[in-house]
Amino acid sequence: MWRGHSCPVAQAYHRAGPARAPKAGLHHSSTSPSGHPCCSSPPSHRRDPDPKLHLPHFWGNRTCQDFAQWVAKDEAGLLSRRSLESLEWPVREGRLPFCCGPLAESVESPMAAKPQPDAPNAKSPGSSASSGAAPQGQWGRAWEVDWFSLASVVFLLLFAPFIVYYFIMACDQYRCSLAAPVLDLAAGRTRLADIWAKTPSVTKKAAQLYTLWVTFQVFLYLALPDFCHKFLPGYVGGVQEGAVTPAGAINKYQINGLQAWLITHLLWFANSHFLSLFSPTVVFDNWIPLLWCANVLGYAVSTFAMVKGYFFPTSVKDCKFTGNFFYNYMMGIEFNPRIGKWFDFKLFFNGRPGIVAWTLINLSFAAKQRELHGQVTNAMVLVNVLQAIYVLDFFWHEAWYLKTMDICHDHFGWYLGWGDCVWLPYLYTLQGLYLVYHPVRLSTPHAAGVLLLGLLGYYIFRMANHQKDLFRRTDGRCLIWGRKPRVIECSYTSADGQRHHSKLLVSGFWGMARHLNYTGDLMGSLAYCLACGGGHLLPYFYIIYMTILLVHRCLRDEHRCASKYGSDWARYTAAVPHRLLPGLF
């Protein structure tokens, strides 16, 4: 323990006193999105001679002097109450964190010594847990940034835009060959300047088209309350509540994505067959100029979200800072940035404009294939149909999406802002783009096999998620494959020392593998790629990327669950030994 008031934090704390300490309700218990109950008790504002403070986790890389200066500024009236409260100090009695290690004589607990990034409060597959509160620092993205995470962030910031450009340029200039540009450059047959000179720049038409598209999607999102739930049996739309945020807030969302998708596509077909206001090939014809427009929006919204997180966040209690600019920019500061009551950045950009556009982009590619080659091949039809099923499934279950990792775990930064504007619409549609340049026509057995694989993958993906949902909603009082589900009773301890009980499902698809929903997703992804034949690597980028993404997510989920359930998780993995492929992995 550090004694007296030698530490500037202790001095600042005593100067600030109870009058300027955060409100007592700031850290009351709340339920985490995952249902992992951990509590943070309200701070105690006693002026005892030997206070024990637990600094906010995002000050882990800052000095005690910084904190003292912040309090001094507040005393001078230079900070608003809102700014001071965003510090989230002191949240509970404990040891001085490692950032002030030289000023502390001892640190007893590793948890107090160093906050745990990305702690385990995600539910295990098919678990139903009692509700509770997430401890500060145990939800969402990391508070601290290790060198590997920082290197990964910088790499993606630098090279992800180049990867997208390279793929699209390869199709435009080299008929989708990924090796040809490199070989030409190595042999001296071309220069980077030559490739860049052949790349179409942004045009007035593309800028107008993209602005109209985004504006129209914002209008559908904000101005038209959902009516589909009133006549579609089983569909959940309209105003729905999201999961409880780490700060205890419950956001409301206007679920109308299916309606927006239907209206958009009805207008598209009306134009294609009756109105003829624009060519159905308009997306393909402006594909690269639209890429520059999408990048402008992606960087603009990401930058705005970061500035907003620093200066006028929607909820200061749901913000995270690491002290590292690049990590904050990429992974986001605000948990749920909003403008007004209903415009939620995360829901809008995750679902619109990228996913609504996905099927329109494929339709434009099909129209271009017909224009160039006089027909739409069965491979193009398969890609359009299988990916449309995935998109429609997303919007049909948009209310369920509010409880997924994207909404409940991720903050909104460049990763989501730029990724949803650029990465998703440009790299998830590579199969359709490839088929414009290479009109593959599959044999009947090949086409039937691709269709069967895609539908089987979708069935596994959907039914596995349905079983998990049903098990959670009924607390295990349901039937899985006609039988009472087998469960593993488990328990865990929350931050306040309380013991909680939960159940892990080991029946149905969740008895075959711990993440069989991911397996179904990968089967569908492979089907899209196999529809393109075996002539080039480019259309197979999607399955490579999805495999890396989902295997990493699988391992990350299991790390959290192992930390949460301890020996009970070991019993679960013994009962269900494989992650993705029964009998193999």
Side-chain angles (χ1 to χ4, degrees):
M1 288 185 295
W2 38 272
R3 294 183 173 86
H5 300 157
S6 60
C7 175
V9 172
Q11 297 168 7
Y13 178 69
H14 280 266
R15 290 201 312 273
R20 262 193 303 275
K23 289 178 288 189
L26 184 60
H27 298 283
H28 279 176
S29 302
S30 63
T31 304
S32 74
S34 65
H36 185 142
C38 297
C39 299
S40 299
S41 58
S44 172
H45 304 306
R46 296 171 300 167
R47 291 173 179 252
D48 55 43
D50 190 23
K52 306 183 185 78
L53 300 180
H54 186 101
L55 293 186
H57 292 290
F58 63 82
W59 281 80
N61 287 331
R62 301 189 184 187
T63 65
C64 300
Q65 286 78 8
D66 289 334
F67 186 84
Q69 290 171 11
W70 193 293
V71 175
K73 288 181 180 179
D74 181 66
E75 288 180 332
L78 299 178
L79 289 180
S80 66
R81 172 63 62 90
R82 184 179 179 86
S83 298
L84 187 62
E85 286 179 356
S86 70
L87 293 173
E88 298 184 309
W89 69 277
V91 300
R92 70 175 76 88
E93 290 192 346
R95 299 297 180 185
L96 192 65
F98 75 102
C99 70
C100 297
L103 299 174
E105 293 184 11
S106 68
V107 177
E108 295 178 2
S109 169
M111 284 292 288
K114 186 173 182 179
Q116 301 296 316
D118 264 7
N121 53 342
K123 272 188 183 177
S124 65
S127 71
S128 64
S130 58
S131 62
Q136 294 294 333
Q138 303 300 306
W139 49 271
R141 37 143 282 198
W143 291 102
E144 302 292 332
V145 185
D146 56 62
W147 68 268
F148 180 78
S149 297
L150 180 59
S152 301
V153 163
V154 172
F155 175 84
L156 287 174
L157 287 171
L158 290 176
F159 290 101
F162 170 76
I163 291 170
V164 175
Y165 168 76
Y166 186 84
F167 276 72
I168 304 307
M169 176 276 297
C171 283
D172 182 55
Q173 300 183 29
Y174 291 90
R175 292 182 56 80
C176 300
S177 171
L178 294 178
V182 177
L183 295 175
D184 276 5
L185 287 169
R189 290 189 293 268
T190 190
R191 299 174 303 165
L192 288 174
D194 298 330
I195 293 176
W196 182 254
K198 295 177 184 177
T199 302
S201 60
V202 67
T203 63
K204 181 180 179 180
K205 180 178 181 180
Q208 291 173 338
L209 183 65
Y210 195 77
T211 301
L212 178 63
W213 166 252
V214 175
T215 303
F216 182 58
Q217 291 305 313
V218 171
F219 170 77
L220 293 179
Y221 179 62
L222 292 178
L224 293 183
D226 183 75
F227 58 82
C228 290
H229 69 281
K230 297 181 179 179
F231 63 88
L232 289 177
Y235 172 67
V236 178
V239 177
Q240 300 293 326
E241 289 186 346
V244 181
T245 73
I250 300 178
N251 293 314
K252 292 187 176 181
Y253 298 84
Q254 178 62 254
I255 300 299
N256 59 2
L258 180 63
Q259 173 180 284
W261 187 91
L262 289 172
I263 292 173
T264 301
H265 285 71
L266 285 173
L267 290 176
W268 176 272
F269 283 111
N271 173 78
S272 300
H273 293 88
F274 306 108
L275 303 177
S276 300
L277 298 176
F278 54 84
S279 169
T281 66
V282 65
V283 177
F284 178 89
D285 295 337
N286 295 274
W287 194 225
I288 296 181
L290 287 170
L291 171 62
W292 309 130
C293 299
N295 270 281
V296 169
L297 178 63
Y299 277 97
V301 72
S302 303
T303 303
F304 176 78
M306 184 175 187
V307 172
K308 183 178 181 299
Y310 274 106
F311 295 102
F312 48 100
T314 303
S315 172
V316 295
K317 304 169 193 175
D318 277 330
C319 291
K320 275 192 176 182
F321 302 86
T322 62
N324 185 282
F325 171 83
F326 297 106
Y327 194 88
N328 286 345
Y329 184 70
M330 179 170 178
M331 301 309 296
I333 293 173
E334 280 200 83
F335 194 64
N336 289 109
R338 289 190 164 203
I339 294 179
K341 183 179 179 180
W342 293 110
F343 189 84
D344 184 271
F345 279 60
K346 202 186 290 185
L347 182 63
F348 178 79
F349 284 100
N350 268 328
R352 279 74 59 82
I355 296 183
V356 173
W358 189 345
T359 41
L360 285 187
I361 293 167
N362 281 340
L363 289 172
S364 184
F365 290 163
K368 193 66 181 182
Q369 188 189 66
R370 183 184 184 90
E371 179 186 288
L372 293 176
H373 307 287
Q375 63 174 340
V376 176
T377 65
N378 58 357
M380 180 68 86
V381 172
L382 279 172
V383 168
N384 271 260
V385 169
L386 291 176
Q387 293 187 349
I389 290 173
Y390 182 89
V391 170
L392 279 171
D393 178 87
F394 173 85
F395 286 120
W396 184 271
H397 297 96
E398 190 176 16
W400 168 81
Y401 182 68
L402 298 179
K403 305 299 195 304
T404 62
M405 180 178 289
D406 290 347
I407 297 293
C408 296
H409 181 79
D410 292 334
H411 288 236
F412 187 86
W414 183 87
Y415 175 77
L416 290 179
W418 181 87
D420 290 328
C421 291
V422 181
W423 186 271
L424 187 156
Y426 275 85
L427 294 189
Y428 286 22
T429 58
L430 284 175
Q431 292 78 32
L433 180 63
Y434 173 84
L435 291 172
V436 174
Y437 294 95
H438 300 274
V440 173
R441 185 160 192 86
L442 304 174
S443 66
T444 301
H446 189 163
V450 168
L451 179 62
L452 181 61
L453 178 65
L455 294 178
L456 179 61
Y458 172 73
Y459 174 80
I460 294 173
F461 168 78
R462 175 45 45 212
M463 291 308 298
N465 283 325
H466 171 71
Q467 289 177 356
K468 176 177 64 176
D469 250 6
L470 180 64
F471 182 75
R472 286 178 175 177
R473 283 188 284 107
T474 63
D475 192 28
R477 293 184 290 273
C478 60
L479 297 179
I480 302 293
W481 287 351
R483 299 178 180 178
K484 183 179 178 180
R486 294 187 299 114
V487 302
I488 289 181
E489 300 282 348
C490 58
S491 61
Y492 56 92
T493 304
S494 55
D496 59 355
Q498 294 186 18
R499 202 77 174 152
H500 302 269
H501 297 278
S502 183
K503 300 173 184 176
L504 300 176
L505 174 65
V506 292
S507 289
F509 286 115
W510 301 99
M512 299 173 63
R514 301 197 291 270
H515 303 274
L516 209 68
N517 56 335
Y518 292 169
T519 306
D521 204 353
L522 290 174
M523 290 170 66
S525 302
L526 179 60
Y528 310 157
C529 303
L530 291 174
C532 298
H536 285 277
L537 178 63
L538 181 139
Y540 287 84
F541 169 80
Y542 186 71
I543 182 59
I544 296 171
Y545 165 73
M546 289 299 294
T547 300
I548 296 171
L549 177 73
L550 292 181
V551 168
H552 175 262
R553 180 172 288 191
C554 166
L555 297 175
R556 188 174 60 171
D557 289 349
E558 296 208 348
H559 172 73
R560 291 188 183 125
C561 291
S563 300
K564 175 180 179 179
Y565 294 111
S567 60
D568 291 329
W569 181 254
R571 290 195 297 121
Y572 173 67
T573 56
V576 187
H578 298 100
R579 291 186 174 98
L580 292 171
L581 300 175
L584 296 175
F585 173 71

